[in-house]
Amino acid sequence: MITRRGALFALGLSSLLLAGTTAGAVDLADQQILRKGNGAEPATLDPHKAEAVPDHNILRDLYEGLVSDGPKGELAPGAAESWDISSDGTVYTFHLRKNGKWSNGDPVTAADFVYSFERALDPKTGSKYTFILYPIKNAEEISKGKAAPETLAVEAVDPLTLKMTLRAPTPYVLGLLAHGAALPVHRASVEKFGAQMSRPGNIVSNGAYILKEWTPQSQIVLAKNPAYYDADKVKITEVVYFPTEDNNTDFKRYRAGEVDMTNDVPNDQIPFIRQNYASEFRLGPYLGTYYYGFNEEQPPFKDNLKLRQALSLAVDRETLVEKVTAAGELPAYGWVPPGVLNYHAQTPDVAKLTQAQRSEMAKTLYAEAGYSDAKPLSVEIRYNTNDNHKKIAIAIASMWKQTLGVNATLVNEEFKVFLENRKQKKVTQTFRAGWIGDYNDANTFAELLLSDAGLNDFGFNSAKYDALVKEAGLTTDLEKRGVMLEEAERIMLADQPMAPIYFYVVKRLVKPYVLNYEPTIINRNPTKWLAIAKH
């Protein structure tokens, strides 16, 4: 038995002390209210049905998994104060906190996690993130309807001890357990309220905050949870999330003092921001890739590899990141960002060419795909409401027109409609998207392209790719595992179900009186670590 009662527990404790020291070094404001821009309106606050980043930002305040996020993006103890790992790396035993409580005062128990994992995987729930839990023995079979939920290898040994058995050693599994799909839900509330379980007045959560108000397209207000086990250390008493799809509106609110943190910043305002808000402009690396997806299940991209390749080659990524996004993003020709643990980023040979050379290749492939000046491609570019996405879409449409003669029509959709159309694959042709790693491992990118993945909106289907990714998931040798995932990425890129555009950076404005904020590679900043100084 390998114990993990020490390292991460000590890390979480030191982080708490650090946060407390920083907040204690200055006078705190009498009103500890934090106001944040949060991008799109949340589609749901049911942890097992949520998909988008705005939803998960709020869920991390409302709920807490066995493992949590520390103030610097590191993993820290959550509902479990410690855990042990068997010598073969397949059995994890979690020790829950004795003072862990739901917001209604009920104790948080191991049985709650058994129920929640089974619910997340049950096909009746409709989660698109079940693959996050596949390392658990029998999880994949349950999610595909081949086994009953109660066969999941998660057991309540006693009220405060949870045993989880993996199908194979999975070194990144603790990172998975901090994800929304692994959050617990309150069984009695789910069974009583059903689809309304996440509404104000119904929701019972176990995190640092409770849901106080949800006014669609206006604001989501959370209040400090007095039943939270660490409530004495939580400084912020209320957090207000503003769903603001328009970055310019978010920026105007920030300048007017209506929000303390933006979700993002308008790309065309970055020079002004650097000049006038330099000390408040927070920039850092981000584990994510911005890309354009091609729907391989419908014309014009179905069975037309050369067309997909031509459109990807015709995108001038260097100009986009220098002139349009302009915040330090890196041009992307591969899928997995650089810097991921135990992985060599894959860079296709075309990245070494000049854009003029790539454009000539694009013209040749475009003609071989059956298109010409006399018979130009007409295609729709779908994007969700956001000024930055619109500017990028305009730029890419212009590049396609100038290089190939493509007639691109821009289709702007509200976020929920946009996501649904991508899933259905009926009307979507090409679409903007971004994928943010859920944990620092190449698997979080690889699994999105599995043929049976719930978030595979491309229709990409490769038996060889699937086999490599799944074999890598069962491989304990990190070097061999990395080689398998790298080969899988090369297979995917050769099929071109997407055109990677750039690797993200975290960029937002944060008021100087917001204490303890620090950009992290996974862009997670739970409110419980923050505080407001007098100002």
Side-chain angles (χ1 to χ4, degrees):
M1 181 73 71
I2 302 172
T3 182
R4 287 295 183 271
R5 294 177 182 273
L8 282 176
F9 180 66
L11 180 58
L13 180 59
S14 64
S15 298
L16 281 170
L17 294 174
L18 174 65
T21 301
T22 306
V26 296
D27 291 334
L28 298 183
D30 293 334
Q31 280 197 326
Q32 289 293 308
I33 300 175
L34 179 67
R35 302 159 302 168
K36 305 171 65 174
N38 196 46
E41 172 77 16
T44 179
L45 290 180
D46 182 333
H48 303 153
K49 297 181 180 181
E51 299 177 35
V53 171
D55 306 41
H56 284 99
N57 289 340
I58 300 170
L59 287 169
R60 275 188 290 276
D61 280 348
L62 290 173
Y63 292 91
E64 190 166 88
L66 295 165
V67 181
S68 186
D69 297 302
K72 295 186 177 182
E74 76 280 12
L75 295 178
E81 63 182 0
S82 63
W83 46 85
D84 305 314
I85 307 174
S86 65
S87 57
D88 67 355
T90 63
V91 180
Y92 284 65
T93 303
F94 294 91
H95 307 280
L96 275 60
R97 299 178 186 273
K98 295 178 181 178
N99 57 343
K101 294 184 182 297
W102 292 97
S103 54
N104 68 348
D106 289 349
V108 175
T109 68
D112 291 326
F113 280 94
V114 173
Y115 167 76
S116 298
F117 285 131
E118 291 178 357
R119 176 181 185 263
L121 288 163
D122 191 332
K124 295 177 183 178
T125 302
S127 172
K128 299 297 182 181
Y129 256 116
T130 54
F131 57 84
I132 283 284
L133 301 175
Y134 280 4
I136 306 173
K137 188 177 180 180
N138 295 333
E140 184 172 3
E141 291 79 2
I142 294 167
S143 75
K144 295 178 179 179
K146 297 178 180 179
E150 57 268 22
T151 64
L152 186 67
V154 178
E155 174 190 354
V157 178
D158 60 48
L160 297 178
T161 308
L162 183 78
K163 185 172 80 170
M164 176 184 296
T165 303
L166 308 183
R167 61 185 181 183
T170 308
Y172 54 87
V173 72
L174 292 174
L176 303 182
L177 297 179
H179 188 270
L183 293 175
V185 291
H186 187 255
R187 181 170 189 165
S189 300
V190 173
E191 293 177 344
K192 180 178 181 180
F193 297 110
Q196 298 300 309
M197 56 81 72
S198 59
R199 304 304 302 181
N202 299 345
I203 187 170
V204 175
S205 56
N206 74 320
Y209 294 88
I210 57 177
L211 181 62
K212 179 179 177 182
E213 173 191 337
W214 185 355
T215 305
Q217 301 300 333
S218 177
Q219 63 182 23
I220 296 95
V221 183
L222 311 185
K224 181 176 173 179
N225 177 10
Y228 183 59
Y229 66 83
D230 229 7
D232 290 346
K233 293 188 176 70
V234 176
K235 305 300 181 185
I236 302 290
T237 58
E238 186 171 284
V239 54
V240 184
Y241 283 93
F242 292 102
T244 311
E245 295 192 60
D246 182 0
N247 288 336
N248 282 299
T249 300
D250 202 12
F251 181 43
K252 289 175 183 176
R253 280 180 165 171
Y254 184 86
R255 295 184 68 188
E258 296 172 5
V259 296
D260 308 306
M261 298 170 56
T262 64
N263 178 63
D264 202 340
V265 296
N267 289 333
D268 58 0
Q269 293 291 338
I270 288 177
F272 176 84
I273 290 169
R274 290 188 187 277
Q275 182 176 354
N276 295 278
Y277 294 92
S279 64
E280 299 170 40
F281 186 39
R282 310 302 296 275
L283 194 65
Y286 195 9
L287 190 66
T289 305
Y290 191 102
Y291 62 93
Y292 266 38
F294 302 124
N295 181 359
E296 293 194 16
E297 292 188 3
Q298 302 289 341
F301 299 114
K302 183 178 181 179
D303 300 325
N304 202 332
L305 171 60
K306 291 181 178 180
L307 179 60
R308 301 194 298 270
Q309 291 174 325
L311 293 187
S312 179
L313 287 165
V315 176
D316 186 347
R317 293 155 173 83
E318 283 75 12
T319 295
L320 274 173
V321 299
E322 290 173 9
K323 305 295 185 183
V324 181
T325 61
E329 295 88 351
L330 296 174
Y333 295 89
W335 173 226
V336 180
V340 171
L341 296 174
N342 304 304
Y343 194 84
H344 296 99
Q346 299 301 294
T347 305
D349 290 340
V350 295
K352 302 173 185 177
L353 304 178
T354 65
Q355 185 55 43
Q357 291 172 318
R358 287 191 287 266
S359 294
E360 287 304 312
M361 290 179 63
K363 291 174 184 177
T364 300
L365 289 163
Y366 184 69
E368 292 175 354
Y371 296 91
S372 63
D373 289 341
K375 183 190 174 184
L377 170 70
S378 294
V379 67
E380 290 184 342
I381 298 176
R382 268 184 162 71
Y383 67 95
N384 56 294
T385 305
N386 179 288
D387 194 55
N388 288 345
H389 300 329
K390 180 179 180 180
K391 287 181 170 64
I392 292 170
I394 290 171
I396 289 178
S398 177
M399 292 170 185
W400 286 350
K401 180 69 173 178
Q402 182 176 348
T403 302
L404 303 173
V406 171
N407 296 317
T409 302
L410 274 57
V411 180
N412 171 29
E413 295 178 324
E414 186 269 331
F415 194 53
K416 293 179 185 178
V417 176
F418 172 70
L419 288 180
E420 188 59 31
N421 280 332
R422 278 174 45 183
K423 289 177 201 171
Q424 295 298 323
K425 306 184 188 73
K426 300 297 184 184
V427 297
T428 303
Q429 294 179 328
T430 187
F431 55 90
R432 67 72 37 187
W435 183 249
I436 309 303
D438 294 309
Y439 46 94
N440 192 354
D441 189 276
N443 188 73
T444 188
F445 289 86
E447 62 189 359
L448 183 75
L449 278 296
L450 289 169
S451 59
D452 58 358
L455 297 178
N456 180 350
D457 296 335
F458 320 91
F460 173 67
N461 190 330
S462 166
K464 189 173 181 181
Y465 180 91
D466 289 355
L468 278 166
V469 173
K470 291 182 179 181
E471 184 180 358
L474 301 174
T475 302
T476 57
D477 185 306
L478 295 181
E479 184 175 349
K480 290 181 179 179
R481 180 175 172 275
V483 169
M484 291 177 190
L485 292 175
E486 290 160 14
E487 183 181 351
E489 180 177 352
R490 290 193 294 272
I491 290 171
M492 182 275 290
L493 292 173
D495 188 81
Q496 203 80 66
M498 69 167 77
I501 306 298
Y502 63 78
F503 298 123
Y504 278 101
V505 292
V506 177
K507 57 185 191 297
R508 61 163 48 99
L509 287 160
V510 181
K511 295 292 186 183
Y513 51 76
V514 177
L515 303 177
N516 302 333
Y517 173 81
E518 185 170 336
T520 71
I521 194 169
I522 54 175
N523 195 27
R524 297 179 189 169
N525 300 97
T527 306
K528 72 175 185 177
W529 300 114
L530 307 179
I532 304 295
K534 280 189 175 180
H535 56 281

